[in-house]
Amino acid sequence: MGKNKVKTSDIHILNLAKLIFGPQAILYKKEDLLAYDCDGFTIERHLPRAVVFPTNTEEVSKIVKYCAENHLPFLARGAGTGLSGGAIPLNNEIIISLVRMKRLLEVDLENRFAVVEPGFVNLKLTNSISDKGYYYAPDPSSQYACTIGGNVAENAGGAHCLKYGVTTNHILGLEVVLPNGDIIEIGRNGIPDSPGYDLLGLLTGSEGTLGIVTKITVRILKNPEAKQTVLAYFDNIEDGSQAVSDIISSGIVPAALEMMDKTAIEGVEAAAFPVGHPKDIEAVLLIEVDGIAAGIDDQIELILAVCRRRNVREVKVARDEAERGRWWANRKTGFGAMGAISPDYLVQDGVIPRSKLPEVLARIHKISEESGLRIANIFHAGDGNLHPLVLFDSRIPGETEKAIQAGSACLKVCADVGGSITGEHGVGIEKKEEMRFVFNEEEIKAQTDIRNVFNPDCLLNAGKLFPTPGRCAEVKRELASKS
Amino acid sequence: MVATEPIANLTAIIAEEQLEAGGFNDHLLGNNGRITVFPKTEQEIASILKYANEHEMKVNIMGGGTKRGFGGIEESADILLVLEKYKGVIEHSPGDMMVTVKAGTTFQELQNFLAEDEQKIPLDPPLPEASTIGGVIAANDFGPKRLGYGSARDMVIGLRIVYPDGTIIRSGGKTVKNVAGYDMNKLFIGSMGTLGVITDITIKLRPIPKYESVILLSFQDGNLQDIHTFIIHLLDSVMEPTALELLNPALAKKLTGKSAFTIAISFEDVESSVRYQVDYVKQNIVHSANSSILEQSDARNFWDAFANIPPNGHKADSGNETKAALKIGVKNVDVLQIVKESQLLEDSHHLKVEAHGGLGTGLCKVHLAGASDDVVSAIQSLRTITENIGGYAVVTHLPLELRQKIEVWGEKPAHFFLLDGIKAKVDPKRILNNGRFVGGI
Amino acid sequence: MMSIANTEQKPACTTGGLGNYLWSDPPKENKWADCVHCGLCLEACPTYEQLGQEQHSPRGRVHLIKSVAEGNLFVNEAFADPVFQCLDCRACTTACPASVDVGGLIEEARGQVRQAMALKGWKAMTSKFFLETLFPHHDRLHAAGSLLKFYQKSGMQKLVRKTGLINIMPEHLVEMESIMPEIKTPVRKKYKQEQVIKAKGVTKRQVSILSGCIMDVMFSDINEATINVLTRNGNDVTIPKNQTCCGALHVHAGDREMGRKLAKQNIEAFKDSEKVIVNAAGCGCMLKEYPELFHDDPEWQEKAKEFSAKVEDISKFLYDTGYAPPKAELNTRITYHDACHLAHGQGIREEPRDLLLHIPGVEMVHMPNADRCCGSAGIYNLTNPEMAGAILESKMANVPEDVEMISMGNPGCMLQMAVGVQKYGRNQRIVHTVQLLDWAYQKEEEQGSGQDGEK
């Protein structure tokens, strides 16, 4: 640790190093940069020009201004757990890592908001206020590591957004460094509906293409009085998906309604947090209801009845918080757990109207058969948010491409039934061509028009989110060769 | 005969019986048109806008007309586009808990339709019988139950919008989660029709609660400290009120017969849960408060009456009285102060004041009636108080003449260039609801 | 695990290198292949917490290790830095959904680095002195111990502190010096004449103990306590003569060759033992991982597997075999720190806590992030003092104010935590779990035999 000793002939790196303070505040050697060549999406890799670690908004603004003035591409990065490649430096960007801006600045319980810096880890917010009975609702599976800044960029979801909504429903204010270096503040003091177009809504989920968020005001919620969690095993995936629809249409709004199929169960049971799911079942549902204790038993009874009507093999209610915790750990580490049964996976994120679940699952099964690749399904069934995990081995020539094709085919199926190509992971690099499955040329232009208002020179996170225009579309996606 | 030429051209686009020369229901609120058009299809809307855009004609958009007093500084635009004939449910999928509906459908019609399947749009905006769903979304309107259910931005999942040049754009889709591209829905919600004409709206639904009650707590001695203590306690408890609305004495008198600061607390859930929560409130109220409980249909009637208190732009203002309405946003607990300050205006400004605010949302609505000068002065006074505590005040209803004098949206925000930049990209000729929004957008 | 169809790809040679790993025993492909780069390990990593940099995170290190194998990076200084900044605390393995053996990869990578280039400067001196000159040699350790003892007893310690001689020592050594435990007689010396230390009462089992290198010199009272607790619970105890340092520090430092040498000696030394009881978490973890050292040597790997199966931490052994909870009350408020190599390395978390909670009068206060590394990490606190200090600072912030003792199961942690207590003006006593148990037994005996009951 210590002062920044920078030895390089790159004048921009020397200049940038002067703008920021702190130990190792800039990385520029290849060995250090290599770890920044991808995020949670590992199929494409590109080296950044440098990585800088500002510790406050002014430093971010200075860096951005410098980049803008010198026409250097740049992008922001949080924990790098994103699954669509939003933080991958396609254009040899300067990466502005926000992980050192990780303070919890304010908690106002009376007015139910908290102010955090973008590098603050999602789960830490809940941990910081749980002793007072409060929590932060959005809970992406990566919440142990992902930052709230990243959550804002991706409009992250999570298992409990069925009842409580996604990140955008919990953002009350943002401080943003615009691509020209200006600092603006939207939404003050946690007060909703500030006059003007809803820039909070627009920035949330803009995948770091409109500005760099440096301060975030989020809504915090009171813990529900009671929670009950149910695990239901089905011998048949149709029954499982039908039970999902039945639960929702019975008038219950579960806090979470998750599903895993047989292949997924094999993975989570082989990994670090097995809970003893039977190996021979086709689907497991994890259902959670919360709210006023007096009302919960009725809902549980109703859920149990629905499951039985749909031929559930076994259904059980978590005995205590410890058991509930184990069930959730098993589910939440599900993606990473695929490492235990496959060297690589590609996770997709299609979303469909709930009622199309049986049809879409059957079609995904067919894609798996045709491609010869196994596809595990771990998903937020209540939201209709599918996560087909295409299992493959990148060391086998051609298999990566095959996996990408299979993933894309899954998204096509989702789009065809009136759904969308991404529910919570974002478009990033990964799905930019698939944007055409859901938007036409004019609709994409409507969006790039908005981008151009904020980011006219396209220096900030260029090449993401939107398909390559016009004739370039047919150019085959270039893949970083992995062998 | 200046007006006949555009009419003649418009008949090429739209049937003659859907056109009217002159404005609609002329009155003091403005936001009228020199020609009024009643499209029945999205294609007609697109054609009209395309025509208007090509000829640089200004277009005002109207649903039920309840918000004609909200923003805008012109008496009339070239065209008034009235969407009341563009109505009906396009698709309702009870299993998916969502509905797609045409913008001109009135809010009440839509709720009645959904109620057949025990479902509802979880919004409770004012004037549901006259307001259209499109208008509610475009103005981002809401009611007291926003505390429990959120606002339009939390439930709209898809829109179809006709852009000023006639292009039809879809945003969002038919899924409850969707992060493909920018969240363009948000851009149009609350944009006051300045970016496009919202035609179809897809909304997430909720089941109609199995049981509901309202507990009314009236504080006869007007001790706001007692209210504060109680509210902090309730908000810190695990109770889940769907509304927690503070009413000033005049409004309470109108709705409950008792003239006192009153809190209306709504609970909606299964019966056992509602009863438990009502009991909790009863056991925890301070001594100075009187409580009464309304259950089921009584509760619903209470909220129905509540929804009909604001001034209605659909009806021409009558008499010499000037009416105004404000939306005020502050921190949750500052709602107490705003409602109190509003109450004080009754004497200081000789006004009739009906004020209420969500103690869990920080959003207040204040209705003023009285002499024009007093109304203007009261608005300025409230705005000053609000801004001093870090909030904002928007005037949501005011006669045209006063709107031309008062900046109803308040000062331009520092990032106005972004708002104006968006407007300039989407509507470069500024034909749609020109001047109706923040900073004259 | 997966068969690679195309065998003419880069050869994964068994004896030579892999990619840019040019030496024997390179990081194993099957270990990194499980990593899907999900990032759930990030927050578990103490160095990532401090620096926020990917190359100092578990997945970042795995990525770099893999990059060398893929030929995108060379084994050089820049690669060595992140690999050696790792504390080898294994918290990432606990956090990892796919249980990627990051610790194993790091050790193998360090082996490559050490073979590729020699250490320089202060680190080299420290490392060489402790690892080569001192730890493997009992006689020298004892001599050093005696010297320390002399230093403490002779008044020289006072002199050094008074004269300001201490001011010219590097700061972290000053901190270390000030908390040096009082040196007592090593158990190996004490029980030199006894073949078997007999169980008190009926003999139920026969066990051997690893007396440890530094443990027996600096913490011989803990070894003493271990023997007492074992014999108290029906175990005959032997201390096999030819045993040596476990080699953990060498393997952590990349000296796998020395590691293998020491491992072989220990495997031989404990050949006839039924059970090998360890009271130092770091050593226990190493002994259990001996098979990892012999990937290229099937014969010794087999022996190592047999040996490892016999190894058990004292806390788990007592918990599993059943022990008599003491009857005397200790009346103290304590907290418990999970040694990394106990919690993350061996998955032992509940057993020591259970032991402590069953001592009458012991009240346990929860320490937040109890399984976060304290920064000791073998001799990491000597080689990477700044990082170790920063990590210790976060650790100490979590130690509850109102406890009298901090209990744990690893001597390295004990020294580091003692530095922490001293440095941050706290007053907790640092104890080994087995010591508390032993004290309770002693008190019980005093009360049982003595007439005056209470002390």
Side-chain angles (χ1 to χ4, degrees):
Chain A
M1 310 216 274
K3 287 261 184 274
N4 298 309
K5 283 178 237 148
V6 180
K7 281 186 213 148
T8 170
S9 56
D10 185 336
I11 183 73
H12 292 309
I13 287 172
L14 293 168
N15 288 336
L16 282 166
K18 287 179 205 148
L19 301 176
I20 39 173
F21 296 93
Q24 293 177 36
I26 185 162
L27 301 176
Y28 56 91
K29 291 184 206 141
K30 187 194 168 196
E31 290 81 359
D32 292 333
L33 298 179
L34 207 59
Y36 287 87
D37 70 358
C38 70
D39 52 15
F41 177 70
T42 58
I43 290 175
E44 247 187 276
R45 294 169 181 273
H46 300 270
L47 282 180
R49 181 166 188 163
V51 187
V52 292
F53 295 86
T55 49
N56 57 54
T57 306
E58 288 63 38
E59 284 185 353
V60 175
S61 167
K62 280 187 209 163
I63 295 161
V64 169
K65 271 208 174 79
Y66 183 87
C67 290
E69 282 161 9
N70 292 282
H71 218 77
L72 305 173
F74 61 99
L75 61 83
R77 176 180 166 117
T81 55
L83 293 165
S84 52
I88 296 176
L90 283 176
N91 313 291
N92 192 224
E93 272 90 348
I94 308 285
I95 291 184
I96 301 174
S97 167
L98 298 166
V99 294
R100 289 189 184 169
M101 290 175 69
K102 56 174 178 180
R103 287 177 301 165
L104 173 59
L105 298 171
E106 186 185 353
V107 175
D108 184 337
L109 295 180
E110 271 190 11
N111 293 300
R112 297 218 176 169
F113 67 81
V115 184
V116 300
E117 290 187 319
F120 194 66
V121 168
N122 175 299
L123 188 62
K124 282 193 176 164
L125 180 51
T126 292
N127 289 345
S128 309
I129 53 180
S130 61
D131 57 330
K132 301 184 185 73
Y134 290 82
Y135 75 111
Y136 174 60
D139 63 336
S141 294
S142 55
Q143 70 178 139
Y144 307 99
C146 64
T147 63
I148 294 182
N151 293 169
V152 171
E154 299 297 320
N155 191 10
H160 290 81
C161 53
L162 175 55
K163 182 169 175 183
Y164 294 102
V166 295
T167 300
T168 193
N169 308 108
H170 299 269
I171 300 299
L172 295 167
L174 295 174
E175 180 188 78
V176 184
V177 174
L178 295 175
N180 63 5
D182 285 359
I183 302 167
I184 64 163
E185 195 183 359
I186 316 162
R188 289 163 64 209
N189 301 318
I191 303 167
D193 293 359
S194 52
Y197 298 129
D198 184 359
L199 299 189
L200 283 184
L202 191 63
L203 279 153
T204 308
S206 62
E207 303 196 17
T209 62
L210 300 182
I212 297 178
V213 168
T214 48
K215 202 183 284 177
I216 305 149
T217 306
V218 299
R219 176 178 286 129
I220 53 180
L221 303 180
K222 187 76 191 172
N223 284 334
E225 186 182 35
K227 267 182 207 167
Q228 293 254 29
T229 311
V230 175
L231 209 53
Y233 296 120
F234 293 87
D235 286 312
N236 167 332
I237 203 144
E238 290 271 314
D239 282 334
S241 2
Q242 213 49 61
V244 170
S245 276
D246 292 357
I247 289 167
I248 304 278
S249 27
S250 71
I252 296 174
V253 184
L257 180 36
E258 304 283 296
M259 190 161 164
M260 289 191 280
D261 73 358
K262 193 172 184 173
T263 311
I265 292 166
E266 183 191 329
V268 294
E269 287 300 303
F273 302 96
V275 291
H277 298 310
K279 294 270 157 65
D280 60 334
I281 47 148
E282 291 293 329
V284 56
L285 287 186
L286 182 61
I287 310 152
E288 188 156 286
V289 283
D290 66 14
I292 299 295
I296 282 200
D297 290 346
D298 294 0
Q299 298 187 34
I300 290 288
E301 275 314 308
L302 203 54
I303 287 169
L304 297 184
V306 166
C307 289
R308 287 193 195 103
R309 204 159 55 234
R310 291 294 170 187
N311 312 311
V312 69
R313 184 200 291 186
E314 187 192 345
V315 60
K316 52 187 177 185
V317 182
R319 282 185 301 264
D320 50 28
E321 188 55 32
E323 186 164 59
R324 179 181 168 270
R326 282 194 296 277
W327 291 356
W328 274 113
N330 174 273
R331 159 63 188 88
K332 285 207 169 184
T333 55
F335 293 178
M338 292 305 128
I341 58 168
S342 172
D344 297 277
Y345 71 80
L346 182 142
V347 55
Q348 277 304 356
D349 180 36
V351 47
I352 54 169
R354 219 159 13 229
S355 56
K356 310 284 187 191
L357 211 52
E359 176 190 341
V360 170
L361 287 176
R363 286 171 68 180
I364 289 176
H365 186 70
K366 205 157 166 234
I367 293 169
S368 167
E369 281 178 349
E370 283 165 10
S371 66
L373 296 173
R374 298 213 294 165
I375 300 182
N377 284 290
I378 299 187
F379 58 100
H380 312 303
D383 297 320
N385 189 182
L386 303 176
H387 290 315
L389 294 137
V390 184
L391 309 184
F392 69 102
D393 187 342
S394 60
R395 294 167 299 184
I396 300 172
E399 202 157 294
T400 305
E401 291 76 1
K402 225 198 282 178
I404 291 170
Q405 279 160 15
S408 182
C410 290
L411 295 185
K412 188 80 175 67
V413 169
C414 294
D416 286 350
V417 300
S420 175
I421 56 168
T422 174
E424 55 186 13
H425 295 172
V427 175
I429 303 175
E430 185 196 20
K431 293 182 277 284
K432 56 183 185 179
E433 295 308 325
E434 282 80 2
M435 279 284 274
R436 295 186 195 280
F437 293 170
V438 281
F439 292 116
N440 62 31
E441 211 59 56
E442 281 133 355
E443 288 158 348
I444 288 167
K445 181 179 177 294
Q447 299 184 37
T448 51
D449 275 352
I450 300 298
R451 181 192 61 196
N452 294 343
V453 172
F454 288 78
N455 187 11
D457 301 329
C458 229
L459 288 173
L460 174 59
N461 214 7
K464 310 279 169 68
L465 197 55
F466 301 109
T468 331
R471 59 193 185 279
C472 305
E474 285 104 58
V475 177
K476 244 189 136 187
R477 187 202 302 231
E478 226 178 273
L479 283 165
S481 78
K482 290 194 82 191
S483 52
Chain B
M1 299 298 263
V2 185
T4 49
E5 194 195 331
I7 290 214
N9 288 331
L10 283 169
T11 48
I13 300 168
I14 195 165
E16 212 166 332
E17 66 268 22
Q18 288 168 244
L19 285 170
E20 269 176 27
F24 184 88
N25 210 9
D26 285 316
H27 57 54
L28 299 173
L29 295 174
N31 289 325
N32 223 321
R34 284 178 274 278
I35 308 165
T36 305
V37 193
F38 298 87
K40 287 181 177 165
T41 67
E42 188 180 58
Q43 199 43 57
E44 287 171 358
I45 296 169
S47 305
I48 293 160
L49 291 194
K50 190 163 187 281
Y51 176 83
N53 198 47
E54 279 166 3
H55 295 83
E56 301 207 18
M57 296 167 80
K58 305 285 182 198
V59 179
N60 276 338
I61 310 160
M62 190 175 106
T66 58
K67 297 170 187 67
R68 284 182 77 173
F70 188 0
I73 44 168
E74 298 289 333
E75 166 68 40
S76 281
D78 296 310
I79 297 172
L80 178 65
L81 189 75
V82 180
L83 292 168
E84 63 177 36
K85 291 197 163 65
Y86 183 71
K87 66 193 298 185
V89 169
I90 296 169
E91 187 186 352
H92 174 219
S93 170
D96 290 322
M97 300 280 279
M98 67 180 73
V99 68
T100 302
V101 61
K102 293 181 188 170
T105 316
T106 69
F107 196 81
Q108 194 60 55
E109 282 175 313
L110 182 54
Q111 289 295 47
N112 292 346
F113 171 85
L114 297 168
E116 287 171 24
D117 287 293
E118 294 293 311
Q119 295 182 345
K120 66 169 183 176
I121 291 180
L123 272 178
D124 56 340
L127 310 170
E129 277 158 26
S131 299
T132 60
I133 182 70
V136 169
I137 301 304
N140 187 24
D141 213 348
F142 62 95
K145 291 180 183 175
R146 176 168 175 160
L147 175 62
Y149 295 105
S151 63
R153 76 195 292 282
D154 300 310
M155 54 199 79
V156 170
I157 58 176
L159 295 173
R160 281 175 76 94
I161 302 109
V162 182
Y163 262 27
D165 65 357
T167 312
I168 294 163
I169 300 291
R170 296 165 303 157
S171 64
K174 290 184 178 171
T175 55
V176 292
K177 280 162 89 180
N178 190 354
V179 295
Y182 295 143
D183 190 355
M184 297 284 278
N185 288 331
K186 301 287 190 290
L187 200 53
F188 302 103
I189 298 168
S191 67
M192 296 298 290
T194 56
L195 296 177
V197 177
I198 297 172
T199 51
D200 299 349
I201 302 155
T202 304
I203 311 181
K204 269 201 294 198
L205 304 175
R206 283 271 184 163
I208 287 179
K210 304 242 187 308
Y211 203 83
E212 71 174 298
S213 291
V214 177
I215 182 160
L216 297 164
L217 301 179
S218 64
F219 294 78
Q220 287 298 345
D221 59 3
N223 186 342
L224 293 179
Q225 190 50 47
D226 280 357
I227 301 180
H228 184 260
T229 310
F230 169 74
I231 286 300
I232 295 302
H233 180 76
L234 183 66
L235 283 174
D236 194 45
S237 77
V238 292
M239 298 304 114
E240 299 178 348
T242 51
L244 190 55
E245 200 75 5
L246 176 66
L247 283 51
N248 79 332
L251 183 55
K253 172 99 172 119
K254 195 183 220 177
L255 294 169
T256 71
K258 275 189 219 157
S259 176
F261 282 105
T262 299
I263 311 176
I265 310 169
S266 166
F267 293 111
E268 302 173 39
D269 202 340
V270 292
E271 188 177 346
S272 52
S273 159
V274 170
R275 290 196 182 286
Y276 170 79
Q277 296 184 82
V278 168
D279 286 345
Y280 177 91
V281 170
K282 280 199 288 193
Q283 283 155 18
N284 285 278
I285 45 178
V286 282
H287 298 300
S288 61
N290 291 318
S291 71
S292 59
I293 295 155
L294 307 174
E295 291 179 316
Q296 293 288 72
S297 61
D298 290 341
R300 287 192 287 274
N301 292 339
F302 173 82
W303 291 120
D304 286 348
F306 191 100
N308 281 301
I309 52 171
N312 184 347
H314 182 64
K315 300 180 195 148
D317 280 351
S318 57
N320 313 326
E321 224 173 31
T322 295
K323 285 184 181 170
L326 289 96
K327 171 184 176 183
I328 294 178
V330 289
K331 287 187 185 179
N332 293 355
V333 286
D334 289 341
V335 164
L336 278 166
Q337 190 186 341
I338 295 301
V339 174
K340 187 186 89 184
E341 294 289 349
S342 304
Q343 177 64 29
L344 294 177
L345 296 172
E346 269 193 353
D347 291 339
S348 65
H349 287 69
H350 324 289
L351 296 170
K352 282 186 232 160
V353 180
E354 291 174 357
H356 61 93
L359 290 157
T361 61
L363 295 171
C364 308
K365 290 184 177 178
V366 181
H367 312 300
L368 307 170
S372 165
D373 288 352
D374 291 333
V375 167
V376 170
S377 156
I379 289 171
Q380 275 152 354
S381 163
L382 276 176
R383 181 169 271 163
T384 306
I385 292 164
T386 304
E387 286 171 357
N388 283 343
I389 54 174
Y392 64 84
V394 172
V395 185
T396 55
H397 181 93
L398 200 64
L400 174 65
E401 190 190 279
L402 296 182
R403 294 206 305 272
Q404 289 165 338
K405 294 178 189 159
I406 293 180
E407 193 56 75
V408 299
W409 292 95
E411 289 296 307
K412 286 179 192 171
H415 57 268
F416 179 74
F417 67 99
L418 290 173
L419 309 182
D420 197 51
I422 292 170
K423 171 74 176 179
K425 275 277 190 225
V426 178
D427 182 12
K429 295 181 182 170
R430 298 182 186 260
I431 66 161
L432 285 179
N433 275 4
N434 188 33
R436 192 120 188 221
F437 201 36
V438 182
I441 285 176
Chain C
M1 196 167 85
M2 295 297 280
S3 60
I4 303 173
N6 189 347
T7 47
E8 63 198 26
Q9 292 263 311
K10 210 157 275 172
C13 185
T14 45
T15 51
L18 172 70
N20 287 334
Y21 291 122
L22 306 174
W23 305 267
S24 65
D25 196 14
K28 306 296 173 290
E29 184 176 2
N30 62 357
K31 287 190 186 131
W32 76 66
D34 287 357
C35 175
V36 291
H37 217 72
C38 70
L40 291 192
C41 53
L42 294 173
E43 284 298 305
C45 178
T47 57
Y48 180 79
E49 184 187 32
Q50 295 299 328
L51 292 169
Q53 297 184 329
E54 281 284 340
Q55 78 277 23
H56 294 300
S57 79
R59 75 165 176 188
R61 293 182 175 115
V62 171
H63 188 33
L64 296 182
I65 288 169
K66 185 176 163 186
S67 297
V68 176
E70 288 171 349
N72 297 323
L73 202 63
F74 292 97
V75 178
N76 57 17
E77 280 292 342
F79 171 71
D81 178 44
V83 164
F84 277 86
Q85 282 275 1
C86 170
L87 294 145
D88 204 7
C89 74
R90 312 285 175 102
C92 47
T93 303
T94 301
C96 178
S99 304
V100 171
D101 180 13
V102 183
L105 282 169
I106 291 281
E107 285 172 358
E108 286 159 354
R110 286 178 178 180
Q112 297 292 302
V113 173
R114 278 298 151 259
Q115 290 174 84
M117 53 193 165
L119 272 175
K120 283 182 278 197
W122 165 252
K123 280 186 194 183
M125 268 167 55
T126 320
S127 186
K128 197 173 166 67
F129 172 71
F130 283 103
L131 299 184
E132 288 174 33
T133 317
L134 203 56
F135 294 156
H137 305 283
H138 262 287
D139 46 345
R140 290 184 203 166
L141 264 175
H142 287 182
S146 306
L147 210 62
L148 267 174
K149 202 166 164 180
F150 172 75
Y151 174 73
Q152 289 172 340
K153 298 268 159 155
S154 65
M156 205 160 121
Q157 186 171 36
K158 272 189 196 145
L159 194 71
V160 168
R161 288 181 184 174
K162 259 190 185 156
T163 56
L165 201 57
I166 201 155
N167 296 332
I168 62 165
M169 290 164 74
E171 195 192 340
H172 59 283
L173 281 194
V174 176
E175 284 163 4
M176 270 295 179
E177 189 274 351
S178 64
I179 53 87
M180 208 71 86
E182 199 189 323
I183 305 298
K184 295 186 181 135
T185 313
V187 294
R188 284 182 64 162
K189 211 164 162 188
K190 184 173 168 188
Y191 295 104
K192 211 170 174 179
Q193 306 311 323
E194 296 179 49
Q195 288 291 333
V196 179
I197 310 158
K198 293 299 285 182
K200 293 169 189 149
V202 188
T203 298
K204 295 182 198 152
R205 282 167 302 269
Q206 262 131 27
V207 302
S208 301
I209 63 164
L210 179 85
S211 59
C213 45
I214 196 153
M215 191 74 161
D216 205 25
V217 176
M218 299 257 250
F219 294 102
S220 62
D221 46 346
I222 297 173
N223 276 347
E224 191 78 62
T226 306
I227 293 168
N228 291 346
V229 169
L230 283 169
T231 53
R232 173 72 171 67
N233 285 292
N235 300 291
D236 285 353
V237 177
T238 60
I239 311 173
K241 292 235 163 17
N242 289 330
Q243 63 173 298
T244 182
C245 171
C246 67
L249 298 178
H250 307 83
V251 172
H252 293 180
D255 188 355
R256 295 172 74 77
E257 205 39 59
M258 180 61 107
R260 278 187 275 272
K261 214 171 119 191
L262 297 172
K264 284 180 180 172
Q265 190 177 332
N266 277 328
I267 291 170
E268 284 295 322
F270 287 96
K271 203 168 52 196
D272 302 323
S273 305
E274 284 173 38
K275 209 72 192 155
V276 182
I277 304 299
V278 189
N279 56 17
C283 307
C285 196
M286 182 71 245
L287 299 187
K288 285 183 179 174
E289 287 172 3
Y290 274 175
E292 286 292 316
L293 293 171
F294 296 103
H295 282 294
D296 299 341
D297 188 343
E299 189 196 329
W300 273 98
Q301 191 170 43
E302 207 39 55
K303 286 186 190 178
K305 279 182 185 161
E306 268 172 45
F307 169 79
S308 292
K310 299 190 290 193
V311 177
E312 199 52 270
D313 184 76
I314 177 73
S315 63
K316 184 159 172 32
F317 177 76
L318 291 172
Y319 181 88
D320 286 352
T321 55
Y323 69 102
K327 296 187 188 70
E329 282 194 16
L330 280 187
N331 293 325
T332 180
R333 270 165 81 79
I334 66 164
T335 191
Y336 179 76
H337 157 71
D338 285 284
C340 296
H341 285 89
L342 211 49
H344 304 301
Q346 302 181 57
I348 297 172
R349 294 162 182 270
E350 292 316 313
E351 294 85 347
R353 287 184 168 85
D354 189 83
L355 251 51
L356 292 166
L357 284 169
H358 279 88
I359 301 173
V362 166
E363 191 188 340
M364 176 115 69
V365 182
H366 170 72
M367 183 198 305
N369 295 321
D371 64 351
R372 194 71 161 181
C373 183
C374 62
S376 162
I379 57 165
Y380 187 94
N381 49 358
L382 300 175
T383 54
N384 301 52
E386 276 189 56
M387 180 61 83
I391 289 166
L392 178 61
E393 189 177 347
S394 345
K395 182 81 211 180
M396 289 310 292
N398 281 321
V399 173
E401 284 294 338
D402 55 345
V403 297
E404 295 165 66
M405 299 187 205
I406 312 170
S407 175
M408 61 204 73
N410 193 41
C413 304
M414 292 178 72
L415 282 172
Q416 177 79 345
M417 294 296 281
V419 170
V421 166
Q422 166 103 354
K423 191 170 171 186
Y424 296 98
R426 308 288 294 268
N427 52 8
Q428 283 81 21
R429 186 168 174 189
I430 309 298
V431 294
H432 192 288
T433 306
V434 83
Q435 277 180 303
L436 270 168
L437 195 56
D438 183 37
W439 293 338
Y441 283 138
Q442 285 178 20
K443 197 167 174 191
E444 182 185 325
E445 277 165 30
E446 279 168 30
Q447 286 172 358
S449 59
Q451 301 295 21
D452 32 333
E454 294 285 306
K455 145 199 165 214

